[in-house]
């Protein structure tokens, strides 16, 4: 795929997923840089950068000391010189300030905020619900993904779940399974 479709973001996202599973950290890092070069604001790229940085911080990566030094330096470049928590918080502020932010972007921000403990569950859920359902990327499938995220975090998102279901019912009147 890398040879035949190097300009597609899906190529590099898959390359990252495979590389990280096979514990090929440098290939995963390369894939992140290529994906970010193609589409720096993509929510899937954002989530994978956060995933990679968290794995590095949690010391889940092993290898030669030189390789780990390179990874540390390059993660800093990917994160714009910020910590993971700062990077996620900055991206979250950008998404919240943008009324045209897509639903997949808002879901990605909510997931990342929870993952790095940068916000409470209710604050993360508000990124999804407060953006409403009239924005970009508000497909039935994305609404299901958002609902699944809210229900996974039910304890802190009870009010958000009720509000989200209400918004979805108003937008998609005949769709089943979103109640």
């Amino acid at each position: 795929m890398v040879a035949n479709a190097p300009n597609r973001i899906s190529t590099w996202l898959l390359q990252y997923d495979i590389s990280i599973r096979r514990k090929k950290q440098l290939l995963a890092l390369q894939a992140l840089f290529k994906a970010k070069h193609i589409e720096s604001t993509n929510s899937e790229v954002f989530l994978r950068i956060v995933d990679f940085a968290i794995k590095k911080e949690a010391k889940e990566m092993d290898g030669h000391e030189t390789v780990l030094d390179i990874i540390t330096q390059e993660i800093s470049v990917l994160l714009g010189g910020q910590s993971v928590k700062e990077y996620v918080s900055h991206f979250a502020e950008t998404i919240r300030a943008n009324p045209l932010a897509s639903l997949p972007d808002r879901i990605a921000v909510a997931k990342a905020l929870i993952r790095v403990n940068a916000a409470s569950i209710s604050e993360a859920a508000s990124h999804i619900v407060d953006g409403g359902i009239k924005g970009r990327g508000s497909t039935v499938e994305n609404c299901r993904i958002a609902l699944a995220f809210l229900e996974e975090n039910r304890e802190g998102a009870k009010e958000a779940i009720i509000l989200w279901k209400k918004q979805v019912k108003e937008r998609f009147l005949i769709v089943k399974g979103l109640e």
Side-chain angles (χ1 to χ4, degrees), residues 11-48:
T11 299
W12 297 107
L13 295 175
L14 288 171
Q15 177 70 29
Y16 171 79
D17 293 341
I18 292 166
S19 298
I20 208 70
R21 263 189 235 126
R22 296 178 73 199
K23 302 207 184 287
K24 305 285 186 185
Q25 293 95 358
L26 288 178
L27 284 174
L29 184 64
Q30 177 191 35
L32 290 176
F33 272 104
K34 298 269 186 171
K36 190 171 182 180
H37 176 73
I38 293 170
E39 194 175 339
S40 62
T41 58
N42 183 288
S43 59
E44 292 297 320
V45 174
F46 168 73
L47 283 174
R48 283 170 176 82

Side-chain angles (χ1 to χ4, degrees), residues 44 76 88 97 113 146 173:
E44 292 297 320
S76 179
V88 170
L113 285 169
L173 298 173

Side-chain angles (χ1 to χ4, degrees), residues 33 36 72-81:
F33 272 104
K36 190 171 182 180
T72 301
Q73 291 171 2
E74 297 305 317
I75 284 177
S76 179
V77 172
L78 274 175
L79 298 175

Side-chain angles (χ1 to χ4, degrees), residues 71-91:
I71 290 171
T72 301
Q73 291 171 2
E74 297 305 317
I75 284 177
S76 179
V77 172
L78 274 175
L79 298 175
Q82 302 171 317
S83 71
V84 184
K85 201 171 194 175
E86 290 169 343
Y87 177 73
V88 170
S89 296
H90 176 72
F91 197 82

